[in-house]
Amino acid sequence: MFVYADNAATTKVRPAALRAFTEVAETYFGNPSSLHTAGQRAQEELTRCREKIARLLGAEPREIYFTSGGSESDNQAILSAAYAGARKGKKKIVSTAIEHHAVLHTLEKLKKEGFEVILLPVGTDGIVKAEDAAREIDENTCLVSVMLANNEIGTIQPVAEIGAVCREKKVPFHTDAVQAVGHIPVDVKTLGCDYLALSGHKFGAPRGVGALYVRKGAPLSSLIEGGAQERGKRAGTENLPAIAAMAAALEEAVNNLPAYTRKVTVLRDRLIEKLSAIPHCALNGDPKKRLCNNVSFCFEGIEGESLLLLLDEEGICASSGSACTSGSLDPSHVLLAIGRVHDVAHGSLRLTLSEETTEEEVDYIAEKVGYVVSYLRNMSPVWRDLTEGKRKYIL
Ligand SMILES: *Cc1c(COP(=O)(O)O)cnc(C)c1O
């Protein structure tokens, strides 16, 4: 059996997105900046894509900027707001300890440039408190950045509440909605954000295309200099086929949201229930206030990486949801933020489902995880110490 359960890393391209890609690549091959007919047709198609994406997010077309993906959108939003704030003498940024590296590393760069960065803690449920954000915002704050849904543990943050606080205090607010768009309802007005980052490949479009919503009037500076594309804010010939694929994927995901949520929630809860039966393990993050496709566990006495490799041999594609992609041995900052100690955080497993996941696959995953966890524990000196009482169980 081959089971793809790593949809938070990337998704399979939807057939509708692939069709849009091919059609647009063949039909609207001109450069949208060219003045001739082929160029103008491409420009019109670009406008239609922008209108569609704007409508699906509750935004105006001129508030949508196409980018290369989530990382670029996060970078551009944060740097634009920070530098605009610094020009008015405001250099404090409020964010959270569980952001994606696209946000955290941008904030680290700003810190080196003299900005004060406050990372709000989260509870053991993996959710930041809006009151904590409100308390940290002062007259020096130039930006608040809080993700909508976490990429490791799937927890959904109170972004609309934080957005309301930011509106009231007139502080620019960015949300990394990369894991949320296409997976939960997202409306920029309801969220009260000034900036919202999204990425196509997390909801069935190809990689390398994304968008940044920028509320009318919010400052925006460019990361890439060159031509006047994207109203002068993002140079480079538009990747029109990918943009069209993203518009098609978003439309399908949004139209399908109720059915997707109903179906995948049942599968998620079935998998959580089955994995919870494994001794000395714990679900990471709130059991309900999480994305309907996210299952994240820690298992005591094992290494997440060995778990992943053995699951891969059983045909299961999963993730540890940790920083091991960077080759570092540091456990995930998200798992540490929810209070997992280093040893426990190392034994993590993230399974992210899709609309195509079946009940049979969920049962197969649960069976194999149970088997591989006990296999690894039998070989682990740490586990032996635990069973012999030389160490105390944490989970
Ligand atoms: C994937 C992801 C990103 C980065 O998006 P790319 O399009 O891969 O650059 C940023 N934030 C979150 C929460 C993500 O899950």
Side-chain angles (χ1 to χ4, degrees):
M1 208 166 188
F2 176 80
V3 185
Y4 184 73
D6 200 14
N7 286 280
T10 198
T11 57
K12 197 164 123 184
V13 178
R14 293 169 184 267
L18 209 48
R19 272 198 305 277
F21 187 99
T22 324
E23 267 172 40
V24 168
E26 282 173 356
T27 315
Y28 303 103
F29 53 83
N31 184 326
S33 299
S34 299
L35 293 177
H36 49 62
T37 306
Q40 289 320 292
R41 284 188 181 144
Q43 183 64 53
E44 284 159 21
E45 175 60 15
L46 184 64
T47 299
R48 284 191 290 273
C49 294
R50 198 183 307 281
E51 284 167 355
K52 184 182 279 185
I53 288 173
R55 177 176 53 77
L56 293 166
L57 298 171
E60 287 174 30
R62 62 177 167 154
E63 295 175 313
I64 302 297
Y65 296 84
F66 294 118
T67 67
S68 68
S71 300
E72 184 186 330
S73 296
D74 281 336
N75 273 259
Q76 192 172 5
I78 292 169
L79 295 175
S80 296
Y83 295 145
R87 285 194 289 274
K88 295 187 216 154
K90 299 183 179 195
K91 297 189 86 173
K92 178 175 176 182
I93 302 172
V94 177
S95 186
T96 82
I98 61 165
E99 298 298 311
H100 188 274
H101 283 148
V103 169
L104 287 180
H105 291 173
T106 307
L107 296 179
E108 272 167 35
K109 168 187 147 89
L110 289 168
K111 214 166 154 177
K112 288 194 191 111
E113 295 174 15
F115 284 82
E116 180 193 2
V117 176
I118 304 287
L119 297 183
L120 301 170
V122 292
T124 51
D125 58 359
I127 296 173
V128 67
K129 288 194 178 63
E131 306 98 85
D132 290 350
R135 203 174 310 119
E136 280 295 346
I137 297 171
D138 60 22
E139 68 284 354
N140 286 323
T141 309
C142 59
L143 174 67
V144 174
S145 177
V146 177
M147 72 195 327
L148 185 43
N150 182 267
N151 48 297
E152 292 188 32
I153 60 176
T155 47
I156 297 167
Q157 307 301 320
V159 163
E161 267 178 76
I162 296 170
V165 172
C166 291
R167 291 267 68 73
E168 189 199 312
K169 304 200 177 196
K170 299 192 165 51
V171 174
F173 180 43
H174 163 252
T175 185
D176 173 344
V178 173
Q179 285 291 330
V181 170
H183 297 269
I184 59 172
V186 172
D187 180 279
V188 294
K189 298 286 180 315
T190 310
L191 296 176
C193 56
D194 298 282
Y195 304 91
L196 179 143
L198 65 90
S199 175
H201 77 99
K202 303 292 174 75
F203 55 83
R207 265 135 268 185
V209 65
L212 177 61
Y213 158 80
V214 183
R215 192 180 52 77
K216 194 172 54 216
L220 186 65
S221 43
S222 46
L223 294 180
I224 299 170
E225 303 303 331
Q229 290 91 354
E230 300 301 292
R231 307 170 75 222
K233 301 299 184 184
R234 205 287 185 173
T237 306
E238 301 86 346
N239 187 353
L240 188 56
I243 290 168
M246 178 165 72
L250 186 58
E251 182 168 51
E252 189 176 89
V254 168
N255 288 341
N256 221 1
L257 211 48
Y260 164 77
T261 310
R262 259 195 315 275
K263 183 192 162 180
V264 182
T265 303
V266 173
L267 295 173
R268 176 197 69 189
D269 291 344
R270 184 181 179 97
L271 187 54
I272 290 176
E273 198 186 315
K274 293 197 167 217
L275 294 180
S276 299
I278 297 173
H280 305 288
C281 75
L283 178 70
N284 297 315
D286 191 278
K288 294 291 168 198
K289 289 181 196 151
R290 67 194 298 131
L291 294 171
C292 70
N293 73 337
N294 179 291
V295 176
S296 168
F297 270 84
C298 279
F299 300 96
E300 194 156 9
I302 61 161
E303 275 292 333
E305 253 148 287
S306 326
L307 180 57
L308 284 191
L309 295 176
L310 292 176
L311 287 177
D312 192 40
E313 282 181 23
E314 302 290 348
I316 299 168
C317 303
S319 159
S320 63
S322 80
C324 63
T325 43
S326 61
S328 83
L329 287 173
D330 294 341
S332 141
H333 64 283
V334 176
L335 297 178
L336 295 179
I338 63 166
R340 298 286 181 228
V341 300
H342 275 63
D343 284 356
V344 168
H346 271 302
S348 62
L349 177 68
R350 179 187 74 183
L351 297 152
T352 42
L353 314 178
S354 79
E355 191 141 45
E356 291 185 7
T357 309
T358 64
E359 205 175 273
E360 195 192 359
E361 287 177 343
V362 161
D363 294 353
Y364 179 79
I365 295 172
E367 182 201 323
K368 294 300 177 190
V369 172
Y371 166 75
V372 172
V373 166
S374 56
Y375 173 82
L376 288 171
R377 281 175 173 172
N378 280 334
M379 303 195 307
S380 152
V382 172
W383 184 252
R384 196 180 48 231
D385 287 353
L386 288 165
T387 54
E388 290 174 357
K390 291 180 191 152
R391 260 185 201 239
K392 279 204 159 50
Y393 289 111
I394 295 162
L395 300 181

